[in-house]
Amino acid sequence: MNENEALYNKAIRLSQICNACRYCEGFCAVFPAMEKRREFHIKDADYLANLCHQCGECLYACQYAPPHEFDLDVPRDFAAVRKESYKKFATPKFLGVAFEKAGLLTSILLLIVLAAFLALGSGNLGKDAAGNFYEITSYKTMVGMFGFFAAISFLMILVSCFKFTSHIDFKGVKFVDFIGALKDALSLKHLGGHNYEGCTFPNGEDRSNLRRYFHHFTFYGFMLCVGATSVAAFYDHFLSYHAPYPFFSVPKLLGTVGGIALAIGCTGLFAMKLKADPDLLDAKSLNIDYALIFMLFLSAISGLLLMIFRDSAALAYLLILHLSAILSFFIIAPYSKMMHLFYRYLALVKNAKECRTHA
Amino acid sequence: MGEINCDILVIGGGNAALCAAISAKENGADVVMLESSPKAWRGGNSQHTRNLRSMHYGPTDVLTDTYSEDEFFEDIYKVTKGQTNEEFARYVIKNTPEVVKWAKSHGVRFQGSFGGTLQLGRTNAFFLGGGKSLVNSYYKEAKKMGIKVLYEHEALSLDIQKEYIGVKVKDHANAQILNFKADACVIASGGFESNLDKLQEAWGKPAKNFLIRGTKFNQGKMLFALKDAGAKIIGDPTQGHMVAIDARAPKYDGGIASRVDCVSLGIVVNKEAKRFYDEGEDFWPKRYAIWGRLVASQEDQIGYSITDHKVLKRYMPPLFEPVVANSLDELADKMGLDAAALRKTVDEYNAGVVEGKFDHTVLDDCHTEGLEVNKTHWAQKIDTPPFYCYPLRPGVTFTYLGVKVTKEAAVVMENGEVCKNLFAAGEIMAGNILSQGYCAGFGMSIGSVFGRIAGREAAKSREQK
């Protein structure tokens, strides 16, 4: 039996035991979703695993948790299945290997991109750009390169999402389910715990919403950064209003607030993960978590530094670092923990549909 | 060897012990708690529980509708066939609303009243996440309050004196014997169901095949120590809660999920492939409590619940996959039963089935006629392959043998004297209220109510000194 099969067998066995016990039904969406089933297949495991927030409430409540011979550990085993699902639906499939060596491959990619930028801009590094990016890397290079890689990444993510939805089965899903799931996702409803008291992540001690807040910082920080870039692109293309923008401009404000939030969120999530009870984690999935956190953090922090030291001689280096981080992030996105954003949302959509039709 | 002195010593680590410890601390005493298990297994059988039965007038945040004292008592009366101490039972019942409030104030979380898959939302308040979650909450609270919890400390014997209670304790982690001397002591260390030797003393050989649904740490050491110290022991050692569980469940800690819920939907045969009791006699609260004993009385303490494809979706999903076969012969072969005998049993049963209107939610009119053992409800022919089989064994949940106590939870001695400094709570004294049969969630009610009283009275007994 290969590891993959063992992993799914374990998750399916786990779901059967949970479904026979049902003590945890009050915790999150995963358990009521199990109760809607009688039999469990690989597709159910992929769906349920992507619905799980790995908060750990169920592990501490579980009468069958290790050291019990049933060895029931939902957060740990579902994390392993989650990674397997990212791998399985990677497009093209062979790049799924990136999930096994996330840390290494992300670092190599980052270095290559960094080297490429340095080579491209090598003639301009000493230049006094007076705060103008395009003196270092031409506008054309930037737009061309980013546009190209972003488009490919976006396409790969789209295809992967399509594969995922047809696998977990989206039959009967309606527009209203997308809206319902959006609300759940934007509020991180299921990470709020019972009555929004939060959960005991990272170590089973006091209950708090800290993880939810850090995740909010990360997600909304990221979205603000995306917003900043979009507005800037709009200014540039349609209003012929070119960068650099003053501090009190929409792109700058969004970017600054977003960057700070993203940096805080990533730091918090990283610290919590480091402190987390090893029983809650799948050791083999940690590298994808850390790789994404690192890339987001690097993008945020390099962007902020770039803004602060734009008028100094460090501009060229900071710009290249920032652009490399962003570009690497784009390239690796379909093969990184970033897929969690999409699969989890899609799992929530399916859950919204099931809740609607089972009611 | 030195003595360890303390105000109140609580022996046990489950719900009743925790309630006692917290309550004693609330009443101003310093408390040391001895849990015989390692931390990972703490909580006794409470970790396998789900809810607490509570009376209430009008819906609450955790209970629906109304459940009056009288209705609650009638339910207890019915399942125990009248074998209950009305005064004590009503005393517990009356205290349940207060105890739910108290539990909440000490960090226990309950599920909202609209949850609950077992349709007990009216009578039982469900712990969010189950009993282990409840136990964790109490341990957290105990730590916060400064109660000293010693894990892997097993109380071995008792020395009951007017001035103090001496307890000999084995510290398993450090392999040493400690002598505790407490002003007052609460014993809440469960029954003896995990003690295979004692089970065998009571039941004889069949006990070897029993599975224990709960913790392996309920060895009954304190129950027998109480007996040795001259306390009045009540109850029948063979009485307890025994249900039919999946024979493939682990020897200990199989918990709730090991139950087999489809008994009433098919037939149950023994090793000889013969039916031996009316599978359709009643609904599950009752069926639940009798089938363990029925299987225990069969050869090798094994039974086989057999159903067909028709009813597959009508029962709670089981812990273990059923054994599946496309013919009865194949099924018999897989289960090691005599094929001809099984075919004969099923043929006779099918021939006896009188078609009716099947409805599993009421005592319907589907029954058999002319059989040695008739099935009185939900009888349908077993004729639609594939056929399914779940092997059954008796699963012991708890025992009723216990120590006599007063309403203040004080231990009563064989000579009728009431101890001023020794109290008991939980399973070890549940026999004062119930001596047979069981009603879901009532054990936790008794443990919580008497645990709280025992702790309070133990603390008060110090003040009176």
Side-chain angles (χ1 to χ4, degrees), chain A residues 13 16-17 19-20 22-23 25-27 35 38 57 60-64 67-69 194 197 205 207, chain B residues 41 48-50 109-111 116-117 128-129 132 136 140 250 253-257 259 312 315 317 319 321:
Chain A
R13 174 85 189 112
Q16 278 169 342
I17 298 174
N19 206 18
R22 303 193 167 187
Y23 282 15
E25 63 185 4
F27 280 140
E35 288 177 17
R38 192 155 180 115
E57 287 276 21
Y60 299 112
C62 182
Q63 54 185 325
Y64 304 120
H68 193 284
E69 61 186 87
H194 183 68
E197 295 162 323
E205 292 299 319
R207 207 161 271 121
Chain B
W41 290 104
H48 293 296
T49 62
R50 175 89 192 261
R109 301 188 296 167
F110 290 89
Q111 244 170 257
T117 47
L128 182 71
K132 193 164 168 189
N136 288 344
K140 198 178 272 184
D253 287 298
I256 188 170
R259 60 162 158 29
L312 184 65
Y315 54 93
L319 178 58
E321 295 282 353

Side-chain angles (χ1 to χ4, degrees), chain B residues 66-85:
Chain B
T66 286
Y67 190 46
S68 71
E69 183 194 326
D70 286 337
E71 190 187 351
F72 191 155
F73 179 71
E74 273 162 35
D75 285 343
I76 302 293
Y77 192 84
K78 257 186 286 178
V79 293
T80 60
K81 294 184 184 152
Q83 297 293 308
T84 179
N85 178 330

